[in-house]
Amino acid sequence: EQLNKKITKNNISKFNYKLPAGRKGVTIEYEKSYGIFIDTSQIEDTDEEFCVTVHEYGHCVTGSTHKLCSKFDLIEKHEHKANRRTIFEFLPLKRLQKAFDADCKEIWQIAEYFDLPCKFVEMCINYYKETGKLIS
């Protein structure tokens, strides 16, 4: 619900659209307007839909879109930028610390504490560990 409110607030259009196999979501930018296209027929549950949608939202709010023929390193840079933005926006380190302070030690406990998918929480924790902001 929070994600959909942010999508609306940022004037981003969201569509359910049939995409090629293996492609669950894409973002398209046209004249500084963004559209998120999600293929729900390839998505197993609401947790996976959140993870796909929040990633595409990250592309929109950072402006990190690229041409299909872009070099791999640029694509990876944009993917990382989109993920980093959603991590900082939906589970910033100070907020994560509140879960630790509430004695949440397992990923599933943190996910339940914040009502976020385990996969997203795991991505956030891995990012904070990789950047040295969180020590195991």
Side-chain angles (χ1 to χ4, degrees):
E1 186 178 314
Q2 179 188 10
L3 175 57
N4 286 326
K5 285 181 182 178
K6 288 179 180 266
I7 288 170
T8 300
K9 181 181 175 187
N10 284 286
N11 296 315
I12 300 168
S13 299
K14 182 181 172 191
F15 306 94
N16 185 11
Y17 188 81
K18 182 77 174 148
L19 295 169
R23 179 63 76 174
K24 297 174 184 181
V26 297
T27 295
I28 296 177
E29 181 262 326
Y30 179 73
E31 295 182 354
K32 300 297 177 193
S33 292
Y34 294 91
I36 295 174
F37 297 81
I38 305 294
D39 187 349
T40 56
S41 70
Q42 296 189 60
I43 294 176
E44 291 183 28
D45 53 31
T46 56
D47 284 355
E48 184 179 19
E49 184 174 354
F50 175 87
C51 291
V52 171
T53 305
V54 78
H55 175 79
E56 298 306 327
Y57 167 80
H59 281 292
C60 297
V61 295
T62 60
S64 57
T65 58
H66 46 267
K67 294 180 176 159
L68 294 175
C69 61
S70 293
K71 293 181 180 180
F72 184 71
D73 60 337
L74 177 64
I75 293 170
E76 284 301 305
K77 179 181 176 183
H78 287 168
E79 296 300 316
H80 181 74
K81 189 174 184 179
N83 284 336
R84 187 177 65 226
R85 172 62 185 260
T86 59
I87 290 167
F88 292 163
E89 191 166 331
F90 287 89
L91 192 54
L93 191 56
K94 284 183 180 182
R95 189 169 180 225
L96 181 60
Q97 187 60 52
K98 288 180 184 180
F100 294 143
D101 293 344
D103 207 32
C104 296
K105 296 188 181 348
E106 302 294 330
I107 289 176
W108 67 267
Q109 292 172 315
I110 297 166
E112 279 187 8
Y113 186 81
F114 292 118
D115 193 26
L116 290 169
C118 287
K119 185 177 177 183
F120 182 74
V121 171
E122 185 175 22
M123 179 183 74
C124 296
I125 289 172
N126 287 339
Y127 172 81
Y128 290 129
K129 284 180 179 178
E130 289 168 5
T131 59
K133 296 176 182 172
L134 184 65
I135 300 171
S136 302

